[in-house]
Amino acid sequence: MRITGSFICIAFLYVIIVVSVLYRTFKDKIKKPFWKRLIFAISMFVVIAAVGVAGYAYFGLGSYAQQFITLATAMACFCIPYTVLDYNLGQCLFISGIVKCYADDVALIATVFYYLISDHIPEYYMEFPAWPVILTAVVSFPLIRLFFSKLMRPALDCSGFLSSWFFAWLLPFFSSVMYALYMQPVFTDITDFPGREFIFVPFLWVVLTFSSYIILLASLIGQSKATKLEEELHISDLQINAQQKQLEHFQDYIEGTAKARHDMRHHMVVLQGYADKKDYKGMEEYLCDCISRLDKKSSGIYSGNSAMDSLLSHYRQLADEEKIRMGIQVDAEESFVVTDTDICIILGNLLENAYEACARQTEGARYITVKIHQSGSVLIILVENSYSGIVRKKDGVFLSAKAKNRKGIGLESVLDVTKKYNGIPKVEYDGKIFRVSLLLNGNRK
């Protein structure tokens, strides 16, 4: 079967549509090196499209050749986004499935539209004109662009830690399979075209499939918000508990200070007696004994920010109970550039992860180091801890150590807050030390 210019035009129109939608939506999520990844993806897509066109020309539309070629090219394209975009495998497969469904729908609606105008279908699919496809693509492009930018992109960004993505991609995948096996043969072949009485079926197919995608993405966004809200409530409870313990600590400290002042007069009398007798050795021993009896616990004031100090004091106390060495250094010129809620989300999650990692540690010295420095509108937070074992990571996302194959919500929440402040996160680990460094800009979005 001869390949016509219009069929080549249609094939490459699909390439242009797909590349345009994906690039405009996900250009900031393309992995480095940017241009090499982008050129590779476009080249692979063009090659697969060309092979598909050649397959249609060689085998024609007889038997199951059309369905097989459609499925084969779809499967070949499914993994291209995973090599280019900074998302996990399930998310990339979902993106591929949606793009494939959109391309199928353009072909389907264009065929029906042409039938309504001309009341027939070309005898050979290769002779199908390009203008119905171009018109359908132009009309639908703003809608698919809106779908990707306003729904899909937010859903992908906010719910990457959900395991649901490893099953969500099956919905567009099976939609593509059903299209290839049932919709495409019936509504693109002149010998099987069902006629005007069934002309509503393609439109109903498009509405039903994309409605299901919208519902799925909306539910994933809701699930993500609920999970993060649960995490924030956990941090809030932790903060309240920490503040209560800090208040108790302050009360104990005040009582101890009052008692020390009361006893100070007696100590002065004893020291005066040693001085009168010129018993300097006795005076030295008495001073050493007094010093050893002093409460060496700090007041729990590290920064002057009550929210931050309560969390630092809480984990300092937990670390002391577990005999974990904890160093805290806070250097801030003025009030912090982040809100108390955000600082609690960051410190609460990082300190909880660090403490639990040290508590699970089976060998080596255990320690936690916290360094916080602010200069102008820039806040730097570093939390470093020792650990033993393996840091589990899948598709660029850290997995929780509490539940098998569950993604770590805490660190994901920290990264979300960092993004909110135009921040730069850095996570490092080498088998013994786990370090999280955050640079936050007070001039947030």
Side-chain angles (χ1 to χ4, degrees):
M1 187 179 295
R2 183 175 61 88
I3 300 177
T4 63
S6 62
F7 192 77
I8 294 176
C9 178
I10 291 172
F12 279 92
L13 177 63
Y14 290 149
V15 174
I16 293 172
I17 291 173
V18 169
V19 171
S20 177
V21 170
L22 293 180
Y23 179 77
R24 293 186 61 172
T25 307
F26 302 113
K27 60 184 177 180
D28 60 322
K29 297 293 290 186
I30 297 177
K31 300 176 185 177
K32 296 181 180 180
F34 179 91
W35 287 110
K36 288 184 179 180
R37 299 267 188 178
L38 183 61
I39 292 173
F40 169 79
I42 295 175
S43 301
M44 287 298 298
F45 198 72
V46 170
V47 169
I48 293 171
V51 171
V53 171
Y56 282 130
Y58 182 79
F59 292 103
L61 301 179
S63 66
Y64 293 99
Q66 183 179 7
Q67 295 96 310
F68 176 78
I69 293 170
T70 299
L71 288 175
T73 53
M75 297 306 101
C77 292
F78 254 52
C79 291
I80 292 179
Y82 187 59
T83 64
V84 181
L85 300 179
D86 188 21
Y87 288 115
N88 63 51
L89 179 59
Q91 290 176 306
C92 289
L93 290 176
F94 188 85
I95 294 171
S96 300
I98 296 297
V99 169
K100 176 63 172 61
C101 289
Y102 171 66
D104 291 340
D105 290 344
V106 169
L108 185 63
I109 298 302
T111 303
V112 174
F113 178 65
Y114 181 76
Y115 177 78
L116 289 174
I117 296 297
S118 60
D119 202 29
H120 77 283
I121 297 294
E123 183 176 358
Y124 299 106
Y125 192 65
M126 289 294 174
E127 297 178 356
F128 193 86
W131 67 264
V133 179
I134 295 175
L135 181 61
T136 304
V138 170
V139 172
S140 63
F141 184 82
L143 298 176
I144 194 65
R145 177 77 178 96
L146 189 67
F147 174 84
F148 267 79
S149 61
K150 298 300 182 181
L151 184 60
M152 178 173 281
R153 178 62 192 268
L156 291 168
D157 289 344
C158 76
S159 61
F161 60 91
L162 295 177
S163 59
S164 303
W165 282 111
F166 292 100
F167 305 97
W169 66 273
L170 291 173
L171 181 60
F173 173 80
F174 284 118
S175 295
S176 297
V177 172
M178 290 180 63
Y179 174 86
L181 295 179
Y182 301 105
M183 297 295 294
Q184 185 181 27
V186 174
F187 287 94
T188 59
D189 192 340
I190 184 172
T191 59
D192 293 328
F193 200 88
R196 291 181 178 271
E197 62 269 24
F198 293 103
I199 212 70
F200 70 92
V201 173
F203 297 98
L204 183 62
W205 167 265
V206 173
V207 171
L208 290 178
T209 53
F210 270 88
S211 294
S212 64
Y213 304 148
I214 291 172
I215 293 172
L216 176 61
L217 291 173
S219 66
L220 287 172
I221 292 175
Q223 184 181 356
S224 172
K225 290 180 178 179
T227 304
K228 290 183 178 180
L229 179 60
E230 183 180 351
E231 181 69 16
E232 291 180 8
L233 289 174
H234 167 70
I235 296 299
S236 297
D237 290 341
L238 177 65
Q239 183 186 2
I240 293 172
N241 185 41
Q243 288 177 333
Q244 289 176 341
K245 290 186 177 181
Q246 187 186 35
L247 179 60
E248 294 173 2
H249 179 70
F250 281 156
Q251 290 175 340
D252 293 340
Y253 183 78
I254 292 171
E255 292 174 2
T257 302
K259 183 179 178 181
R261 285 199 303 268
H262 180 268
D263 295 339
M264 186 61 67
R265 183 174 62 86
H266 303 291
H267 294 313
M268 294 296 102
V269 171
V270 174
L271 290 174
Q272 183 63 49
Y274 281 118
D276 292 340
K277 297 178 181 179
K278 296 184 179 180
D279 186 358
Y280 301 115
K281 184 177 181 180
M283 181 184 294
E284 182 181 0
E285 292 176 352
Y286 187 80
L287 285 171
C288 290
D289 183 62
C290 289
I291 292 173
S292 66
R293 294 172 181 270
L294 290 176
D295 182 13
K296 295 182 180 179
K297 293 184 179 180
S298 68
S299 63
I301 299 177
Y302 301 98
S303 65
N305 181 291
S306 60
M308 178 184 291
D309 289 342
S310 62
L311 284 174
L312 292 173
S313 298
H314 175 68
Y315 281 101
R316 180 66 173 268
Q317 182 178 352
L318 292 179
D320 290 342
E321 292 173 357
E322 287 288 331
K323 295 182 172 53
I324 299 172
R325 180 169 54 86
M326 185 170 182
I328 301 174
Q329 180 181 337
V330 181
D331 180 18
E333 300 175 355
E334 51 190 22
S335 60
F336 288 100
V337 296
V338 301
T339 65
D340 287 353
T341 301
D342 290 334
I343 201 70
C344 287
I345 291 175
I346 292 174
L347 279 180
N349 282 299
L350 293 182
L351 290 174
E352 184 175 42
N353 291 345
Y355 169 74
E356 291 179 350
C358 287
R360 291 190 301 267
Q361 188 174 339
T362 56
E363 58 183 16
R366 301 186 299 172
Y367 75 91
I368 300 173
T369 299
V370 181
K371 293 184 179 180
I372 301 170
H373 174 77
Q374 178 173 299
S375 179
S377 62
V378 176
L379 177 64
I380 300 173
I381 299 176
L382 182 145
V383 177
E384 178 182 300
N385 62 273
S386 59
Y387 75 97
S388 60
I390 300 174
V391 175
R392 297 187 298 150
K393 193 175 181 182
K394 187 174 183 179
D395 293 328
V397 179
F398 290 94
L399 299 180
S400 173
K402 302 174 185 176
K404 186 177 181 180
N405 292 329
R406 195 191 78 184
K407 297 187 178 182
I409 302 172
L411 188 54
E412 192 75 18
S413 298
V414 172
L415 297 179
D416 286 344
V417 175
T418 304
K419 186 185 300 183
K420 175 181 176 182
Y421 288 90
N422 303 318
I424 301 174
K426 187 175 182 181
V427 181
E428 304 168 280
Y429 53 95
D430 60 5
K432 295 182 179 180
I433 300 173
F434 193 94
R435 181 185 301 111
V436 179
S437 307
L438 304 175
L439 189 150
L440 307 176
N441 188 343
N443 301 318
R444 56 177 177 169
K445 295 178 181 177

